[in-house]
Amino acid sequence: MKRWTTKREHQIYSSKLFQALCRSRRTSSSTSAKELHQTADRVLAITAKGTTRWSRAILAAPLTAGTNMKKHKKAKVTVHTRLRKPVVNREKRKLPVVERKLRALRRLVPGCRKLSCNNLLEETSDYIAALEMQVRAMTAITEFLSRGEAQVPTDRLGSIGNM
Amino acid sequence: MSSRRSRQSTAGVSRISDDQIIELVSKLQQLLPEIRDRRSDKVSASKVLQETCNYIRSLHREVDDLSERLSQLLATIDADSAEAAIIRSLIM
């Protein structure tokens, strides 16, 4: 899986993300963590160039200003219902375990709720690789900024992007 | 193996074929750091799917934490003046 793992992609993403963050700081007084996460996801999706379903889904989703979106997610936790019922009747369970987990996976990858098994595999592997790059890039930016505002030690320049 | 699956499924529900599930699961195993390193062939399908979901959720959480830290950092420092320098450093 070459995609999302090259140094070049990492550099492109981290610099684009940083530019986007500076831009949004100029327009609004403060950037909440949620907006920042959203920006990071959108830049990530743009980097995918419309080739995957998850990236198109992220770009098509409306921008959420507040925390309303998060509330209904908590209701979908299935662990508690299983703990409440001491007797597990296999016949009465709606779906077998594997099917349920597939459904959970479909919900985690954006835009993939109705996807077939094979396509889901492709989307999942691409999505995971992209997320890993997102983590690497954001970590790099964070370390950069926390190391010291405008002063960037020259001996560390070469190590950025090698994560 | 297929007989075990057919006992679990309910009539009327369109099932994904066993082969598809097996393929999906074996490919997903390659992506997950823990399972890949453990090199175990005996990992069940539901375990792999569970680990995949857990891994994606943990990546989401990591990005959440990073977003939190970044938003605090950006608020405190004056990134604008250093923007050009930082971008130059990021792409080198």
Side-chain angles (χ1 to χ4, degrees):
Chain A
M1 168 85 48
K2 278 288 266 187
R3 205 177 173 193
W4 303 112
T5 55
T6 66
K7 184 178 171 182
R8 189 91 195 101
E9 286 164 311
H10 173 108
Q11 290 169 339
I12 291 175
Y13 176 66
S14 47
S15 56
K16 278 206 150 65
L17 173 57
F18 186 67
Q19 281 176 306
L21 293 176
C22 288
R23 255 201 312 272
S24 69
R25 262 188 85 235
R26 279 194 276 272
T27 53
S28 70
S29 54
S30 68
T31 315
S32 73
K34 175 169 290 301
E35 286 164 357
L36 205 149
H37 192 160
Q38 210 169 70
T39 305
D41 282 345
R42 290 180 79 88
V43 177
L44 191 68
I46 290 171
T47 312
K49 296 201 175 112
T51 52
T52 53
R53 207 169 256 264
W54 66 261
S55 57
R56 291 194 293 267
I58 287 180
L59 293 175
L63 294 168
T64 56
T67 51
N68 316 345
M69 296 291 280
K70 286 280 182 184
K71 276 191 187 159
H72 71 265
K73 272 193 184 177
K74 285 203 172 169
K76 287 183 182 173
V77 174
T78 52
V79 175
H80 298 310
T81 37
R82 288 217 333 259
L83 289 175
R84 254 192 279 136
K85 295 178 187 173
V87 176
V88 177
N89 193 338
R90 279 188 166 253
E91 274 76 57
K92 285 204 177 149
R93 228 190 261 169
K94 295 276 157 113
L95 286 172
V97 176
V98 171
E99 303 273 347
R100 271 194 283 127
K101 305 247 180 252
L102 267 176
R103 196 168 63 165
L105 181 61
R106 282 203 186 89
R107 280 202 223 116
L108 281 172
V109 185
C112 293
R113 290 191 185 218
K114 302 252 176 94
L115 218 52
S116 72
C117 218
N118 285 332
N119 294 337
L120 181 63
L121 167 69
E122 274 186 52
E123 292 285 327
T124 305
S125 45
D126 195 73
Y127 187 52
I128 287 181
L131 284 179
E132 287 171 337
M133 188 194 77
Q134 187 181 44
V135 168
R136 285 196 300 273
M138 288 178 74
T139 305
I141 296 178
T142 308
E143 285 185 359
F144 233 70
L145 294 180
S146 51
R147 193 160 301 129
E149 290 115 71
Q151 306 293 18
V152 178
T154 46
D155 57 358
R156 294 293 296 205
L157 284 179
S159 65
I160 303 296
N162 282 349
M163 299 191 175
Chain B
M1 210 185 298
S2 57
S3 56
R4 199 176 69 204
R5 288 267 159 74
S6 39
R7 250 186 274 134
Q8 281 181 351
S9 72
T10 58
V13 175
S14 59
R15 285 177 48 234
I16 298 166
S17 79
D18 295 337
D19 293 333
Q20 278 188 303
I21 291 182
I22 291 171
E23 197 192 325
L24 173 70
V25 165
S26 68
K27 299 249 173 87
L28 280 177
Q29 262 179 261
Q30 309 306 316
L31 299 172
L32 305 176
E34 327 170 344
I35 295 187
R36 193 180 53 213
D37 295 340
R38 251 190 276 147
R39 295 195 166 279
S40 161
D41 290 331
K42 304 260 184 344
V43 190
S44 74
S46 81
K47 174 110 174 107
V48 173
L49 287 170
Q50 184 65 54
E51 288 302 318
T52 309
C53 293
N54 291 345
Y55 188 48
I56 293 182
R57 282 195 206 105
S58 76
L59 285 171
H60 283 166
R61 269 199 306 273
E62 242 189 296
V63 178
D64 274 336
D65 291 341
L66 284 167
S67 304
E68 192 73 49
R69 281 176 66 193
L70 259 183
S71 68
Q72 286 166 1
L73 275 173
L74 284 174
T76 55
I77 76 160
D78 179 18
D80 294 341
S81 59
E83 182 177 347
I86 293 178
I87 290 182
R88 256 201 308 276
S89 316
L90 285 171
I91 59 178
M92 275 191 219

